[in-house]
Structures are given as C-alpha cells and as structure tokens.
Amino acid sequence: MKKLSVRIYAELEVPDDWEIIEVDDGVQVLKIDGTYVDFDIAPLASQSTGPEATWSDEDEELTAAVLDAVIGLETELTIEA
C-alpha cells in the first residue's frame, strides 16, 4: 500500500460577522448565522480530462472509497482582520 499526502491551502474573504468557535469535541468550526461549518476533503471525479470536463462527487461509491482511505485529517482555522 502506498501513502498519498494531499495539502490544501485556501484563503477566503469572509464577512465580519463570521467567527471561529470551538465545538464540544474541541474542533474549530466557522459559525455563520447560527450554522456551524467545518472543512473536510471532498474528492471530485470526472470521466474526462478536457477543458469542458464536469467534476463532481456524484459517484457515491468512488467518493466513499476515497474517504475510507483517509487515515488522518487536520484543519486549522484563523481569521485575520
């Protein structure tokens, strides 16, 4: 078995009223108007590699297989003014 590492870095410009909170299990999430948002890996698949390809997570079996292979996931949230 091989090990694949995926590093994803994203910056979002968010409204001032969005805030980071820590939920009961110690995970940091965004609080947006009473809804809590966590970030996770979402694998997308396509049957084409062309510029007009459609990428989605509609293949539930493939998505589940990829997610089942995840052995570790770490998320760090920060907000800067």
Side-chain angles (χ1 to χ4, degrees), residues 21-81:
I21 66 160
E22 189 171 301
V23 293
D24 295 340
D25 62 0
V27 174
Q28 288 184 318
V29 298
L30 278 178
K31 182 178 180 188
I32 305 171
D33 297 328
T35 301
Y36 305 98
V37 178
D38 191 11
F39 292 88
D40 204 343
I41 186 170
L44 302 177
S46 178
Q47 296 297 315
S48 171
T49 59
E52 301 298 321
T54 301
W55 295 84
S56 76
D57 61 355
E58 291 178 358
D59 185 337
E60 293 180 11
E61 188 174 318
L62 179 60
T63 299
V66 172
L67 292 177
D68 286 345
V70 175
I71 58 173
L73 182 64
E74 188 176 311
T75 305
E76 180 182 327
L77 302 178
T78 60
I79 290 182
E80 298 175 14

